[in-house]
C-alpha cells in the first residue's frame, strides 16, 4: 500500500509545487515507484515533472469518466495524474456528505498497491479538493516562506487538519513545516523560525532541520519543465532538497520499503 504525502498550504507562492516536484523526483531517484498527483487547477506539477501535451486529467478519474489507470500518464521518472483549469469546478461539493470528501481515496484504490509513494500537490485554498487530499494522506508537509505573512492562516489550516482527523482520517500526521527562501543570518529569519517552532508544537509536528535557501536553480527549474535535480543537481537548491529527502526518508521508512523488494 502506497504512503501518501501531501504538500499543502492555503497561501499561494510558498513553494508547494516546487517542493512536491522535488520530493516526488527525489524519492523516485532513490528507487521508489512514485505517482505525482496535481490537485491545483493551475496544472504546474505535471509540467515541472516533464509532462507535455494535453491528455486525461485527475478530474476525469474523479468524475468516473475513465479509470484511474487510464488517467495516469507514464513518465520515465514519475507517473502523473495531471490537472488543468477544469478542476476548479470539480462538482465534488454537490455529492452527499462523506462521499464528497472521500472521492479521491476511492478513485485511487485500484493503484495504491502499485506505487510505493504518492505525492500530492494541493491548490492554494482550503476547499473540498484539499480536504480530499487530507483524507487520503498519511502525512502532510507544510511549506512556508520566511516572512511573517506566511504564518498568517496557519491556525485555519490547523483547524482543517483537526477536523479531518476527528471525522475522516484519524491517522493523518503533519510530517513537518518546511521553511523556503531562508536566509539564516537575518533577524527576520530567526523571528519566523521561532514562531514556526511554536506553531509546529501546537499542531504536533516539527520544523524540518533542512531549510531551503534562496536559489536561482529552484526559481528557474519550473520554467524549463524540470525538477531541480534534473535542472542543476549541483545547485544550492538541489543540495537543500536532497537534504530534505534525507529527513523525509527516515520518517516514511524509505529504506524499509525498498528492502521489502517492492521496487
Amino acid at each position: 500500500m502506497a504512503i501518501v504525502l501531501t504538500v499543502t498550504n492555503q497561501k499561494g507562492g510558498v513553494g508547494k509545487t516546487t517542493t512536491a516536484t522535488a520530493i516526488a523526483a527525489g524519492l523516485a531517484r532513490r528507487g521508489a515507484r512514485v505517482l505525482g498527483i496535481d490537485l491545483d487547477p493551475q496544472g504546474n506539477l505535471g509540467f515541472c515533472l516533464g509532462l507535455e501535451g494535453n491528455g486525461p486529467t485527475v478530474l476525469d478519474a474523479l468524475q468516473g469518466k475513465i479509470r484511474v489507470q487510464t488517467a495516469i500518464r507514464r513518465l520515465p521518472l514519475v507517473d502523473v495524474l495531471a490537472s488543468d483549469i477544469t478542476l476548479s469546478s470539480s462538482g465534488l461539493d454537490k455529492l452527499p456528505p462523506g462521499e464528497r470528501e472521500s472521492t479521491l481515496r476511492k478513485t485511487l484504490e485500484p493503484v495504491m498497491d502499485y506505487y510505493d509513494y504518492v505525492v500530492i500537490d494541493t491548490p492554494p485554498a482550503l476547499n473540498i479538493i484539499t480536504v480530499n487530499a487530507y483524507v487520503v494522506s498519511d502525512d502532510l508537509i507544510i511549506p512556508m516562506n520566511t516572512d511573517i505573512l506566511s504564518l498568517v492562516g496557519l491556525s485555519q489550516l490547523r483547524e482543517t487538519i483537526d477536523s479531518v482527523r476527528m471525522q475522516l482520517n484519524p491517522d493523518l500526521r503533519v510530517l513537518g513545516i518546511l521553511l523556503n527562501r531562508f536566509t539564516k543570518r537575518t533577524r527576520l529569519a530567526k523571528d519566523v523560525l521561532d514562531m514556526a517552532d511554536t506553531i509546529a508544537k501546537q499542531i504536533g509536528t516539527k520544523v524540518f532541520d533542512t531549510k531551503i535557501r534562496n536559489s536561482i536553480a529552484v526559481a528557474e527549474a519550473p520554467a524549463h519543465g524540470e525538477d531541480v535535480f534534473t535542472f542543476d543537481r549541483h545547485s544550492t537548491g538541489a543540495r537543500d532538497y536532497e537534504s530534505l529527502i534525507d529527513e523525509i526518508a527516515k520518517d516514511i521508512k524509505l529504506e524499509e520499503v525498498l528492502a521489502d523488494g517492492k521496487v
Side-chain angles (χ1 to χ4, degrees):
M1 180 69 71
I3 294 173
V4 182
L5 308 173
T6 289
V7 181
T8 184
N9 190 327
Q10 76 269 30
K11 191 178 188 303
V14 296
K16 284 191 299 293
T17 299
T18 302
T19 299
T21 301
I23 291 172
L27 291 173
R29 289 176 182 277
R30 298 189 183 201
R33 295 179 298 191
V34 180
L35 172 66
I37 301 179
D38 195 345
L39 292 183
D40 188 340
Q42 296 179 77
N44 290 329
L45 180 67
F47 178 78
C48 292
L49 288 169
L51 192 64
E52 297 179 356
N54 297 320
T57 70
V58 64
L59 184 59
D60 295 323
L62 288 172
Q63 293 180 337
K65 294 179 179 178
I66 58 176
R67 299 164 64 233
V68 65
Q69 296 94 323
T70 304
I72 291 172
R73 302 175 69 179
R74 317 290 177 180
L75 296 174
L77 189 62
V78 177
D79 291 348
V80 178
L81 266 174
S83 176
D84 60 24
I85 193 62
T86 60
L87 188 61
S88 59
S89 53
S90 66
L92 294 183
D93 55 328
K94 298 178 182 179
L95 296 173
E99 182 179 345
R100 70 179 65 149
E101 298 90 352
S102 303
T103 302
L104 180 62
R105 180 166 61 187
K106 182 177 179 181
T107 299
L108 293 176
E109 283 177 357
V111 298
M112 289 296 283
D113 286 333
Y114 180 79
Y115 295 100
D116 300 301
Y117 299 99
V118 174
V119 178
I120 301 177
D121 185 23
T122 56
L126 292 177
N127 56 22
I128 190 61
I129 293 293
T130 305
V131 171
N132 264 264
Y134 292 4
V135 170
V136 76
S137 294
D138 296 289
D139 298 295
L140 304 181
I141 294 169
I142 304 173
M144 56 176 285
N145 289 338
T146 312
D147 60 65
I148 298 301
L149 290 179
S150 289
L151 293 167
V152 177
L154 284 188
S155 60
Q156 184 182 0
L157 179 61
R158 181 183 64 182
E159 291 173 5
T160 302
I161 293 169
D162 288 343
S163 177
V164 170
R165 281 172 171 163
M166 287 188 293
Q167 301 178 43
L168 298 160
N169 183 1
D171 297 323
L172 181 63
R173 179 175 64 154
V174 181
L175 203 60
I177 295 173
L178 174 67
L179 294 181
N180 280 322
R181 301 175 185 171
F182 190 78
T183 305
K184 182 178 180 180
R185 293 181 178 84
T186 66
R187 174 64 182 271
L188 177 61
K190 182 181 184 303
D191 290 343
V192 172
L193 178 56
D194 289 343
M195 295 174 69
D197 278 328
T198 299
I199 294 172
K201 291 183 176 68
Q202 292 174 352
I203 59 179
T205 189
K206 64 182 180 182
V207 176
F208 284 110
D209 290 335
T210 300
K211 314 296 188 291
I212 309 301
R213 293 166 287 179
N214 283 308
S215 167
I216 294 176
V218 169
E220 291 183 346
H224 293 265
E226 296 178 342
D227 64 79
V228 68
F229 307 115
T230 303
F231 182 72
D232 185 355
R233 64 187 181 90
H234 299 295
S235 66
T236 297
R239 295 198 303 271
D240 287 348
Y241 274 114
E242 195 67 47
S243 176
L244 176 66
I245 300 297
D246 287 339
E247 278 196 74
I248 292 173
K250 295 176 183 177
D251 284 325
I252 61 175
K253 301 178 174 59
L254 176 62
E255 291 185 0
E256 292 181 23
V257 169
L258 301 185
D260 284 342
K262 292 180 63 180
V263 180

